[in-house]
Amino acid sequence: MLRWAVHLEGGPRRVNHAAVAVGHKVYSFGGYCSGEDYETLRQIDVHVFNAVSLRWIKLPPVWTNSRDHVREVPYMRYGHSAVLIDDTIYIWGGRNDTEGACNVLYAFDVNTHKWFTPKVSGMVPGARDGHSACVLAKSMFIFGGYEQLADCFSNDIHKLDTTNMMWTLISAKGTPARWRDFHSATIIGTKMYVFGGRADRFGPFHSNNEIYCNRIKVFDTETNSWLDSPPTPVLPEGRRSHSAFSYNGELYVFGGYNARLNRHFHDLWKFNPVSFSWRKIEPKGKGPCPRRRQCCCRVGDKIILFGGTSPSPEEGMGDEFDLMDHSDLYILDFNLSHTSFEELLQMQNGMRTRAYQVTGGKKTANPTKPKIKQQQSKKGPREMSAKKPVPFLRQVVPVAKKVQRDPRFDDLSGEYNPEIFLKTYSFLDSIKKREKEMIQKQLKKCRNVEQKEKLQQLLKRMTQQEEEQKKKQKWRERELSLKRQQRELAQQGKKPFYLKKSEKRKLELAEKYAELKRSGKLESFLNKRRKRNAIKDKRRLPSQKSL
């Protein structure tokens, strides 16, 4: 019987964090919270939840005077991933508003609580956030995400073999999954099941034409190939920033967000990989409210879900984007016969809608019995609460909150003005120039054929973007000069004359003709145009049938 068994408040208020279950403990790394200071570079925070005592603790930061040792500790970030292999938690990716995205691999020893940076080799993935990470045997698989250097979504699969700490870019066969970020990838057996995430309708680049796929894509790690998925009659809505976990060979998906529908979810779906079918699950008890960017970890037969953000229920309770960050924790129990005595007391003392009778370790629901608040015995053990008490002296002076914005997720107010935008972000030109020089240097030194092709494609795309930007700038300057001429005519008392689109097109073609003639490429351009027109004319001719 599936049930939301426990609900606790007063934990760490975290969004877009990463967490791993180690035994009966859950380690949570990083994330963000609206109103906190993220301009100052600081160490990533680590919170630990004990699933037996139901208590949170925060590990102390690493204090050292050595700069080299400080580099071994990751800085505060969000959109990263965390996996457990043996007694080591590997943190990879993520971004910070100050430092940007990161592709350094960090390792955390769960026994000593010490950080270190393993020495890796091979083809290291580009810095990104919003990717997925899953583990099979001693290997970590990274899929998707939003690459910072390429400024686009990804659908590559990278593999880190922790036995020799070597990165490998997998050359996958078959039809790959779409470029996406903030999806989920779950290993069941030897296959990786990818669901949801945010993609763009026109390809890998973000053009504000988001789509949310609701079909499962399966990657076989033994053959390194994407498998063809059969159609399913019932499908959940497409979403991103959801949670996914496996239990008894089946995939479960909870929550998430769809920007096209402007809707947060709190539904639970189950996917059977054998029958390749979906089914909506309705657990008993009161579950979490609709949310996204939460963390979900499995501890035995229990699923521990905490954090995330959702629409504010009351005006003024959330940030300026009407979102409220959560500090609560829920436990979804698949097997209530293993429920601890403390959790049963919480359910019995009013946390559930029904009263429960415990006799010989078995629980029977009695809906007719009224709920009676039991008084604790003076001699009995005291039941501690995880709720944080409200301080007596409250802060009455309003303090302006610092809200960090991500242009991919937040709707900016006002109208788009190209001149203001170019002046504000003019510093990006120098950064792009340095990146292009860096890629050119890497291309000269590179000996790997696959990496060389990827760098050449990236360099070609950056060059095309520069040329397109120059064309747009030239067109804007022409538009401004035409507007100035019309203003001068209006000041002289003459009636302004506005050019039609066809006349503007003629001017553009005339400039193109002059540019081709000046560069000496006019004849080759005309020859290509003649061939293209000849092919079109040939298609219009009636087909000659054999007599």
Side-chain angles (χ1 to χ4, degrees), residues 238-478:
R239 62 195 68 193
R240 65 171 168 89
S241 306
H242 54 279
S243 296
F245 59 90
S246 63
Y247 182 81
N248 283 346
E250 293 179 313
L251 174 67
Y252 290 81
V253 172
F254 171 84
Y257 173 69
N258 188 311
R260 295 186 69 87
L261 302 175
N262 192 21
R263 181 180 169 194
H264 288 75
F265 301 97
H266 66 147
D267 49 357
L268 182 65
W269 287 81
K270 182 173 74 171
F271 174 76
N272 190 321
V274 178
S275 61
F276 219 87
S277 60
W278 286 95
R279 186 164 69 91
K280 191 173 183 180
I281 306 297
E282 298 288 348
K284 295 184 180 296
K286 186 180 179 181
C289 64
R291 64 183 66 197
R292 57 173 155 159
R293 298 180 184 175
Q294 66 278 354
C295 265
C296 197
C297 296
R298 177 183 163 189
V299 179
D301 291 326
K302 298 179 178 63
I303 305 300
I304 297 175
L305 185 147
F306 61 96
T309 184
S310 61
S312 178
E314 298 179 13
E315 187 179 357
M317 289 292 290
D319 58 13
E320 61 178 314
F321 304 109
D322 293 327
L323 291 175
M324 183 175 65
D325 303 338
H326 296 290
S327 62
D328 53 2
L329 179 143
Y330 289 83
I331 296 181
L332 180 66
D333 201 339
F334 280 84
N335 189 359
L336 278 178
S337 62
H338 297 159
T339 306
S340 65
F341 181 70
E342 186 175 5
E343 293 170 359
L344 289 173
L345 280 177
Q346 289 179 348
M347 288 190 291
Q348 195 174 13
N349 288 333
M351 292 191 66
R352 301 295 102 206
T353 56
R354 294 182 179 182
Y356 282 81
Q357 296 174 347
V358 183
T359 307
K362 297 180 180 179
K363 300 162 287 301
T364 57
N366 186 5
T368 59
K369 184 178 178 180
K371 186 167 63 176
I372 302 172
K373 187 175 180 181
Q374 297 182 357
Q375 187 176 2
Q376 292 182 352
S377 173
K378 294 181 180 179
K379 296 181 181 179
R382 201 171 185 183
E383 184 184 352
M384 302 298 291
S385 172
K387 292 184 178 180
K388 188 177 179 181
V390 179
F392 176 72
L393 297 174
R394 300 187 181 183
Q395 187 179 12
V396 295
V397 180
V399 180
K401 290 185 177 180
K402 292 183 179 179
V403 181
Q404 304 300 329
R405 282 188 168 183
D406 193 330
R408 291 176 290 159
F409 303 116
D410 302 332
D411 296 327
L412 300 180
S413 59
E415 296 182 356
Y416 173 67
N417 191 325
E419 287 75 18
I420 296 175
F421 180 84
L422 290 172
K423 287 179 182 178
T424 307
Y425 293 97
S426 58
F427 65 94
L428 290 176
D429 296 334
S430 59
I431 296 173
K432 287 181 179 179
K433 187 178 179 181
R434 289 199 300 268
E435 288 179 349
K436 188 176 179 181
E437 292 174 354
M438 183 180 67
I439 292 169
Q440 289 172 344
K441 290 179 182 177
Q442 289 180 358
L443 191 60
K444 290 179 182 178
K445 297 178 182 178
C446 184
R447 297 291 179 266
N448 191 317
V449 179
E450 292 182 359
Q451 191 175 5
K452 195 170 184 179
E453 288 179 359
K454 194 172 182 181
L455 289 172
Q456 285 174 348
Q457 291 177 0
L458 184 59
L459 188 63
K460 184 180 178 182
R461 185 160 64 237
M462 293 179 77
T463 308
Q464 289 174 349
Q465 287 176 352
E466 287 179 1
E467 292 175 356
E468 187 65 25
Q469 190 175 1
K470 287 178 182 177
K471 287 181 182 178
K472 288 181 179 179
Q473 182 63 24
K474 198 171 182 180
W475 177 252
R476 278 194 291 269
E477 289 175 358
R478 190 191 303 117

Side-chain angles (χ1 to χ4, degrees), residues 187-257:
I187 291 286
I188 300 178
T190 59
K191 295 180 176 63
M192 181 175 72
Y193 294 83
V194 177
F195 174 76
R198 179 190 56 169
D200 195 272
R201 190 178 301 277
F202 301 112
F205 298 99
H206 187 252
S207 62
N208 290 323
N209 288 279
E210 298 178 357
I211 57 173
Y212 295 86
C213 183
N214 59 350
R215 296 188 177 276
I216 288 279
K217 287 292 291 183
V218 185
F219 177 76
D220 193 337
T221 58
E222 292 182 332
T223 60
N224 287 340
S225 58
W226 290 98
L227 306 180
D228 294 330
S229 305
T232 54
V234 180
L235 288 170
E237 289 90 348
R239 62 195 68 193
R240 65 171 168 89
S241 306
H242 54 279
S243 296
F245 59 90
S246 63
Y247 182 81
N248 283 346
E250 293 179 313
L251 174 67
Y252 290 81
V253 172
F254 171 84
Y257 173 69

